[in-house]
Amino acid sequence: AVEFFAFARAAGAVLAAIRQADPGADAGGQDRFVGVGGEAAAAGLHGDVETHLLGILCGSLSDLKRSILPSNQTPLGALPARFRRERVLIVGCGDVGGRVARDLGRKVRLLALTSSPGRAPLLRAQGLTPLQGNLDQPATLRRLAGLATRVVHLAPPPGDGQPAWWTDPRTLALARTLRRRSLPVSLVYGSTSGVYGDCAGDWVNEARPVDPSTARAQRRVDAERVVRHLGRAGVRASILRIPGIYAPDREGGTPHARLRKGTPVLEAADDVYTNHIHADDLARACIAALWRGQPQRVVNVNDDSALKMGDYFDLAADLYGLPRPPRVPRDTARATLPVMLLSFMSESRRM
């Protein structure tokens, strides 16, 4: 029995060492992450994680195993059950985070950071273990160090009002916490396509330099910088640049309410291209990147549509059987529309 538990401790230590020394080891032999639209992007995500980790351990511990375990026992079988499953931490577990948790299901142990104790029952009902902490209070994050094998970071930067308006202290606080102990194997960060700024309707791929035109997008650029720095420390980091998210079962996830209000759109001469992604597709993209993403890669995640904003709302109005929104010139829009809405009408790109 003493030898049995000694091996369990050794197995855990070696596994941690392998992850830290070779953060890409878990990606060996897997297919590349090729996108969102096809079935190949999500294929194999729910494979046998225990067998995968067993392959890592057996190569390094075969001699040790033979010396103290019967041949019909595996190294992972000697470990407590809670250490045989991947532990996925979701930071910013709102609508999309909940969809990620739903799709992962019981294949992994799901953890969720929350700053609101009142959300704990809802998170538990979704199969997540709630962890109390606040990204705006770094001292409350210490328990996260070394806890998760993979991290999905979907929390937005703080809003306006902070002295260093161009930075994202939340992502920095999370990164510093994760570096305190053994690093996660992979991390996925949900950024925004707004980091490209206005592209005058051009087609945009991931190689295009960022050119944020709003403070909100500038803070996302800073968060991406922090994530890349964490990647250089050994985490397989993926950055997803996300456009507008839609889904019928998502709050504000359809244009129905806006159409009923009669909010105007730009006339054809001033109109801009807009991009979207379904919330379920985004959740699947997060999972694909979490397991199959190439190290330190940026991926644009969006539908394959190429519609101008006014045409998009005209199409939606026709489908809902509602009047099409009025068209106005840009000067009129500047004088009548909210600043946030106007910012989306000021950038045009096709992804």
Side-chain angles (χ1 to χ4, degrees), residues 171-259:
T171 297
L172 181 61
L174 177 63
R176 285 176 171 172
T177 297
L178 296 177
R179 292 172 67 107
R180 291 173 65 92
R181 295 184 64 185
S182 57
L183 292 167
V185 173
S186 61
L187 179 143
V188 173
Y189 174 61
S191 185
T192 173
S193 60
V195 298
Y196 295 118
D198 180 27
C199 303
D202 287 347
W203 286 99
V204 175
N205 63 27
E206 293 85 349
R208 189 182 183 102
V210 298
D211 185 22
S213 56
T214 66
R216 187 175 65 256
Q218 181 63 59
R219 289 189 283 271
R220 292 289 192 171
V221 171
D222 181 69
E224 289 187 4
R225 178 189 60 80
V226 172
V227 169
R228 285 196 179 94
H229 189 263
L230 186 63
R232 289 194 291 272
V235 178
R236 182 160 51 78
S238 298
I239 296 171
L240 306 185
R241 289 180 176 160
I242 305 167
I245 305 170
Y246 69 94
D249 57 346
R250 172 183 169 89
E251 184 178 358
T254 72
H256 188 267
R258 175 171 167 169
L259 289 170

Side-chain angles (χ1 to χ4, degrees), residues 82-205:
R82 65 180 180 274
F83 293 119
R84 295 202 298 267
R85 284 194 297 168
E86 293 263 14
R87 300 178 301 283
V88 176
L89 170 65
I90 302 176
V91 179
C93 193
D95 175 70
V96 175
R99 294 169 195 262
V100 170
R102 177 201 64 197
D103 289 350
L104 285 174
R106 298 181 180 274
K107 293 288 185 178
V108 300
R109 185 182 178 195
L110 294 165
L111 313 169
L113 180 70
T114 179
S115 59
S116 305
R119 292 200 69 226
L122 174 62
L123 293 171
R124 289 194 183 95
Q126 293 177 296
L128 295 120
T129 299
L131 303 173
Q132 186 73 27
N134 192 324
L135 291 173
D136 295 324
Q137 300 171 12
T140 66
L141 305 178
R142 291 181 179 177
R143 66 183 300 185
L144 303 182
L147 188 61
T149 56
R150 301 177 192 269
V151 178
V152 180
H153 176 25
L154 301 173
D160 297 325
Q162 59 172 348
W165 58 267
W166 63 92
T167 65
D168 180 8
R170 293 175 176 173
T171 297
L172 181 61
L174 177 63
R176 285 176 171 172
T177 297
L178 296 177
R179 292 172 67 107
R180 291 173 65 92
R181 295 184 64 185
S182 57
L183 292 167
V185 173
S186 61
L187 179 143
V188 173
Y189 174 61
S191 185
T192 173
S193 60
V195 298
Y196 295 118
D198 180 27
C199 303
D202 287 347
W203 286 99
V204 175
N205 63 27

Side-chain angles (χ1 to χ4, degrees), residues 268-334:
D270 294 327
D271 208 359
V272 297
Y273 282 99
T274 183
N275 306 276
H276 306 88
I277 184 169
H278 193 286
D280 286 340
D281 290 335
L282 178 54
R284 286 190 284 268
C286 289
I287 295 171
L290 200 60
W291 262 268
R292 295 174 177 264
Q294 298 297 303
Q296 282 56 271
R297 292 290 180 87
V298 172
V299 179
N300 294 338
V301 286
N302 51 273
D303 294 343
D304 59 357
S305 62
L307 286 172
K308 289 195 171 183
M309 185 177 292
D311 296 336
Y312 169 78
F313 282 105
D314 283 350
L315 176 60
D318 294 345
L319 292 173
Y320 282 125
L322 295 172
R324 290 186 173 188
R327 298 273 189 151
V328 298
R330 185 173 294 278
D331 289 342
T332 302
R334 287 195 185 101

